[in-house]
Amino acid sequence: MSSVNPGALPDGADAPRARNEWPLWEIFIRGQHGMSHRHVGSLHAPDAKTAIQNARDVYTRRNEGVSIWVVEASRITASAPSDKGPMFEPSESKIYRHPTFFDIPDDVGAM
Amino acid sequence: MDETLFDFLLRMGDSTLILGHRISEWCGHAPVLEEDIALANTALDLIGQTQMWLGLAGEIEGKGRSADDLAFLRDAWDFRNALLVELPNGDFGRTILRQFLFDAWHKPMLKALAGSDNERVAEIAAKAVKEVDYHLERSANTVVALGDGTDESHRRMQDALDALWPYAGELRTIAGPDGVIPDGVADAHSAMMREVLSEATLKIPEGEFAHKGGVSGQMHTEHLGHLLTTMQWLQRAYPGATW
């Protein structure tokens, strides 16, 4: 089940939501310093503060993270699957955009 | 054997053991998945602290008993936990309120113990207080959210407070490893309860009467025996079983 409504615009803070249901939050965890936050999943919570606490309990109990971001799922605007052709296919044939012609020294590590 | 130190360790370890067991009863039953996992995490934290307190108690006693022996092979009259933690869970609100009343004492107690002259005790307390800091933040937030929530959640929290309030006072009678109640713990407990309960729009019952008998071991409630029956069943039925 996708937690994000493809192509939807943000609802805004005042948008009505289903009764008796906490909003859905998307959770991003930074595994270690220097790495970027990665999407790890979603959960329900009544507000942002509680969402952080719930994320701490649900997603970092095995020492997975040093930082948590939460964002209400309804605030995310996603590209629509039906636009896949015009959005992504034109770049398929443009191999010269890939920096595959450079040798990267091993010492550089993960890029 | 240092009886004062041994009793202190049982009071800490039995309280975290019995509360940890009580919360673990929610596993798979909490109202939402997020709370289910949070309660299980808290239960595991408390059981982990139990291993440290009762492990040290076994050493001090010097009869070769391990933390497991103390947890699973003693009967109700040997337990020294505060009465509050052996009370049944009730509804989710009551469970969270009981957790808060305990956490609000647990944190200042551990903070004080972290400065104890007894290094072993100070070490355990310093490790535990980080976990308990979070327990308190979480339980306090939830008490405020439910107390200051809907009419029904407010009513349930007020009922829980009316029922549990007379059990909060006994915690403040727990002395440190030297037999003396650490300075400031009682005041910090009272202040934290008043602050959070008033933010939660809950009315603190009048009167200072406090049920006692758990910490001294003189009289537990009838609920402890039932809890132990469940908790100790396996070791009683299959002595020495491991897995």
Side-chain angles (χ1 to χ4, degrees), chain B residues 54-69:
Chain B
L54 293 188
L56 183 54
E59 274 183 50
I60 298 298
E61 188 191 36
K63 292 183 185 165
R65 289 204 283 183
S66 67
D68 281 343
D69 293 337

Side-chain angles (χ1 to χ4, degrees), chain B residues 1 12 24 38 58 77 90 101 124 128-129 144-145 148 156-157 161 180 183-184 190 192 194 214 223 230 232:
Chain B
M1 175 178 71
M12 297 303 291
S24 77
W77 48 79
L101 297 178
I124 295 172
V129 76
V144 170
D148 191 15
R156 284 172 180 257
M157 293 306 276
L161 182 58
V180 179
D183 280 343
S190 300
M192 175 59 75
R194 281 174 202 289
H223 306 294
T230 307
Q232 298 181 333

Side-chain angles (χ1 to χ4, degrees), chain B residues 24-62:
Chain B
S24 77
E25 293 172 359
W26 275 102
C27 192
H29 299 280
V32 293
L33 178 145
E34 291 80 358
E35 289 299 337
D36 201 290
I37 295 179
L39 285 171
N41 284 348
T42 306
L44 286 170
D45 285 349
L46 292 170
I47 301 296
Q49 293 171 20
T50 303
Q51 284 179 327
M52 297 191 284
W53 291 127
L54 293 188
L56 183 54
E59 274 183 50
I60 298 298
E61 188 191 36

Side-chain angles (χ1 to χ4, degrees), chain A residues 22 42-45 49-50 52-54 56-58 61, chain B residues 32-35 37-38 40-41 44-45 134 137-138 141:
Chain A
W22 292 340
S42 51
L43 50 74
H44 289 93
K49 193 177 168 191
T50 314
I52 296 247
Q53 289 190 348
N54 285 347
R56 182 261 194 200
D57 278 315
V58 176
R61 57 199 299 274
Chain B
V32 293
L33 178 145
E34 291 80 358
E35 289 299 337
I37 295 179
N41 284 348
L44 286 170
D45 285 349
Y134 180 75
E137 193 186 333
R138 185 164 188 111
N141 284 346

